[in-house]
Structure formats: C-alpha cells, structure tokens
C-alpha cells in the first residue's frame, strides 16, 4: 500500500514523526510531501532532524501568502505529485491550509483521503483552522479522530461510519521527548518560576489593538515569561510598533521541539493560543492559560488544568491560580496512537 503524507507546518511535522516511525517495517510504502508552508529552518528543518523524520520525497516550496494564494498554489502543485505517485491513500494532518489543499486535490483526482486529527471543532467560524477542519473531514474517506469527543462531532455531522478513534499521535511524541529531555536537559537561559508563552493565532496577532493588549498583559505578569515568538508574531509586532521584550517578557526565537518540551516541563505555567501547547501542557501536568474564547481540546479544561482567558484583563488572576490537585487523565491515548493509525490505514486498504 502506498500512502502519501502531506505536511507543511510545524505541528504537522510532530505528527508526521509519530506516523513515519509507526510505518517503518510495515506493508506501507510511505511517501512524504512537504508543501513548504513553513520554510524557516527553526519551524521546519530542525523538526525533521531532531525527531528523525525521513527527508521529504518532495518539497513544493510554496511558502507564505494569503489563504487563497497559498492554498491555490498548493492545490495546483499537488495535482501533479498525486498523479505521478498514484497513491492508495493520501494522509492529511490537522487543520492547516496544507491539509485542505491536499484533501481537495486528492478527492478531485479520486485518490482516497485519510484525515488524521479529524473531528476537532472550535465552532468558531471565523478561524481559518475551523474552515480547514470541517471541509477536510467532509472530503475525506477515512477519519482518524484523536478522542471520543472528536468522534462524537463526526457522528453528529453524519460522518460516524467513516471514523476510527486512534488516539493522539502528538502524545506519542510528547511522552518520548519528555523522557529524553529529562535524561539530557540543556541550558535554556531561563530558570525559576517562569512561564512559557506562545502567541500566533491570526485573531490575536493581526489586530494591533488586540495584540498590544495581549503583549502588555504578558509584560505585566508577576513571573518571568519566556515568549517563544513565532515569525508571524515577530512580523506583526514590528509592523505595529509593539516592543515585545519589556517588563516580565524575555523573547526567544521558536525553539526546536525537545527544547520546547523542556521549557514547558520546567515552567510554572503555560500561556498560549496554540492547540498543541494546551495539550502538551496537560500531558506534562503543567497548568495552562489559553488566550482564546474556546478550545478544541476540551478535555484539558477538566479540573482547571487549562483555563480560557480571552479577556486579557483577567490574565494575571487566571495564570496565578493554584496548581490543580486532581491528577490529569489519560484521555489522549497511551502513546501508541501511530500503531492504530497504521492498522486503520491497512484495514481501509484491505476493504477498498
Ligand atoms: C499555520 C496554521 C496554524 C498552525 C500554525 C503552526 C493555517 C491557516 N494556519 O499558521 O493552524 O497552528 O501554522 O505554526 O494553515 N512565516 C515565516 N516563516 C515561516 C512561516 C511563516 O516568517 O516559515 C510568517 C509569514 O509572515 C507568514 C506568517 O508567518 O505570512 C503566517 O504563516 P502561515 O503559514 O500562513 O500561518 P501560521 O500563522 O504559521
């Protein structure tokens, strides 16, 4: 069976690490296509190196652009790649423009599509990621949700018969990396009761007033804040004349995956708008405060391990809340999701 994985953005490289590893020594011939949506070395290359992901067979080098331009360029380029490789299945990951482009290209060429991390919903129709998730799920032939909640969303949308719950592949990688960094920590340049923060969502970065409020609130927190600044945040802050490094905030470039995990693991709390970090904080048992009105990872909200704080005036109170005493639950799987992904793909192929 030939499977083409299409990835392009940082969180997809993490998911690919688990899947590529799970496909080793199986009956699957795995072809990796990188759209090039993320091209900065610290958002892409270092992930391939650190997580020992095989080099992509194809790199489309698409880069940045408006949603239409970026997605359209990927679509056109992927048509050629899929036609050349004639896959038994195209595997798409998560909710980025690379996900949607690959799903649409494959479905139009009549190649079966499997969607990993299917069924997540924020129910916020202003988010580009929500458009990408919903459209991809409805185009796909095999849906691989990480959780029961995600599966239930698919059932409600009439897609339950295509869905197989596999668990969360990011959990596989997070657990392995946690154990490695505990054994071999590096000097991160910050210590004590610091907080780890990332802000990159369009709804938080692209409006100058909103971004200024968020950055001022981070700078006013009582603890030091390691702000791992995504290029989008750095670009918008510069454009709007917002100084990032002030008050409590210490700016870092985006870190490689193991260092990001070590940074979170050593911190008193995480403050973010990222989906991945909310879940990783939960898995690492670090309290998280999320600067958004909703989350797709609703399981993290139980026992206040994660608290939504869309109003930045409430941020200090939310961040300084006591650490939850209830243990976290293993709702994201046991660290062996990639194996179930491989089994689901092979079963799907046997039945088609
Ligand atoms: C994308 C995903 C988002 C995911 C995030 C992870 C979409 C719609 N969004 O958002 O779901 O959480 O990746 O990081 O696909 N840039 C660089 N270098 C790069 C990549 C981007 O400088 O290597 C800058 C550019 O100014 C670019 C901006 O970041 O215009 C936004 O990049 P883009 O890939 O469009 O979306 P992300 O914000 O990274």
């Amino acid at each position: 069976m030939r499977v083409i994985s299409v990835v392009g953005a940082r969180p997809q490289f993490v998911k690919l690490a688990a899947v590529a590893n799970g496909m080793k020594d199986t009956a699957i011939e795995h072809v990796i296509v990188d759209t090039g949506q993320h091209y900065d070395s610290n958002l892409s290359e270092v992930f391939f190196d650190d997580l020992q992901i095989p080099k992509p067979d194809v790199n489309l080098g698409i880069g940045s652009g408006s949603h239409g331009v970026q997605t359209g360029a990927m679509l056109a380029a992927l048509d050629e790649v899929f036609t050349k490789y004639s896959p038994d299945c195209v595997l798409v990951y998560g909710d980025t423009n690379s996900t949607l482009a690959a799903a649409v290209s494959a479905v139009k060429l009549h190649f079966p599509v499997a969607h990993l991390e299917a069924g997540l919903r924020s129910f916020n129709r202003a988010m580009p990621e929500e458009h990408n998730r919903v459209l991809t799920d409805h185009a796909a032939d095999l849906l691989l949700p990480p959780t029961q909640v995600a599966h239930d969303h698919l059932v409600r949308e009439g897609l339950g018969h295509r869905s197989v719950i596999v668990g969360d592949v990011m959990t596989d990688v997070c657990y392995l990396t946690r154990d490695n960094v505990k054994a071999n920590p590096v000097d991160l340049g910050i210590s004590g009761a610091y907080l780890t923060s990332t802000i990159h969502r369009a709804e938080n970065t692209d409006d100058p007033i909103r971004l200024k409020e968020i950055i001022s609130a981070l700078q006013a927190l009582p603890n030091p804040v390691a702000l791992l600044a995504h290029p989008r945040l750095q670009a918008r802050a510069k454009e709007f004349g917002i100084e990032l490094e002030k008050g409590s905030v210490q700016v870092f470039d985006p870190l490689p995956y193991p260092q990001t995990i070590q940074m979170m693991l050593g911190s008193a709390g995480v403050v973010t708008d990222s989906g991945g970090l909310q879940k990783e904080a939960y898995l690492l048992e670090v309290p998280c405060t999320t600067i958004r009105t909703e989350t797709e990872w609703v399981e993290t909200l139980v026992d206040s391990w994660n608290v939504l704080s869309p109003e930045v005036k409430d941020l200090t109170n939310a961040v300084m809340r006591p650490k939850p005493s209830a243990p976290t639950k293993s709702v994201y799987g046991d660290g062996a999701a990639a194996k179930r992904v491989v089994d689901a793909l092979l079963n799907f192929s046997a039945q088609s």
Side-chain angles (χ1 to χ4, degrees), residues 9-11 37-40 43 64 67 70 95-97 128-129 132 200-201 230-232:
R10 180 171 56 173
Q37 176 170 347
H38 284 174
Y39 42 90
D40 282 3
L43 292 191
S64 300
H67 291 291
Q70 188 181 53
D95 56 18
T96 73
N97 290 342
E129 292 81 4
N132 293 340
H200 79 279
R201 295 271 174 203
H230 184 287
R232 175 187 206 117

Side-chain angles (χ1 to χ4, degrees), residues 92-314:
V92 301
Y93 298 67
D95 56 18
T96 73
N97 290 342
S98 300
T99 316
L100 178 64
V104 173
S105 171
V107 85
K108 296 248 176 219
L109 292 168
H110 306 291
F111 294 119
V113 178
H115 184 201
L116 183 68
E117 221 177 65
L120 292 189
R121 296 290 180 267
S122 66
F123 302 102
N124 176 350
R125 288 175 53 85
M127 283 178 76
E129 292 81 4
E130 187 74 356
H131 312 149
N132 293 340
R133 290 178 196 121
V134 172
L135 294 167
T136 301
D137 281 340
H138 284 260
D141 304 278
L142 174 64
L143 298 165
L144 302 170
T147 60
Q148 185 65 44
V149 171
H151 172 77
D152 293 346
H153 291 148
L154 296 168
V155 171
R156 272 197 289 282
E157 293 175 27
L159 301 172
H161 59 292
R162 299 185 207 160
S163 168
V164 180
I165 302 176
V166 287
D168 175 42
V169 293
M170 278 180 110
T171 299
D172 302 10
V173 187
C174 181
Y175 283 158
L176 270 179
T177 308
R178 175 198 59 191
D179 297 344
N180 287 339
V181 299
K182 272 187 177 170
N184 302 296
V186 295
D187 180 9
L188 294 172
I190 193 161
S191 56
Y194 69 88
L195 302 159
T196 305
S197 183
T198 71
I199 301 293
H200 79 279
R201 295 271 174 203
E203 61 267 31
N204 284 335
T205 57
D206 291 5
D207 170 3
I209 297 172
R210 175 80 178 152
L211 182 59
K212 176 100 187 77
E213 276 176 4
I214 292 173
I215 298 302
S216 301
L218 291 176
Q219 290 167 344
L221 286 170
N223 294 29
V225 178
L227 178 61
L228 316 184
H230 184 287
R232 175 187 206 117
L233 171 64
Q234 301 198 23
R236 295 297 182 271
K238 195 163 169 216
E239 187 184 330
F240 304 148
I242 298 170
E243 200 185 333
L244 292 177
E245 184 144 309
K246 219 166 70 177
S248 301
V249 167
Q250 191 176 327
V251 177
F252 292 75
D253 280 332
L255 291 176
Y257 188 75
Q259 277 144 274
T260 309
I261 294 295
Q262 190 191 322
M263 186 68 100
M264 278 194 276
L265 199 56
S267 65
V270 169
V271 186
T272 191
D273 60 3
S274 150
L277 262 79
Q278 290 173 56
K279 197 179 43 197
E280 283 153 357
Y282 186 81
L283 297 170
L284 299 171
E285 304 192 319
V286 176
C288 181
T289 306
T290 299
I291 306 185
R292 281 184 51 195
T293 43
E294 70 284 307
T295 178
E296 299 79 19
W297 301 104
V298 290
E299 300 84 357
T300 61
L301 298 173
V302 174
D303 299 318
S304 298
W305 277 100
N306 184 16
V307 164
L308 299 175
S309 182
E311 295 296 331
V312 285
K313 63 177 173 29
D314 303 330

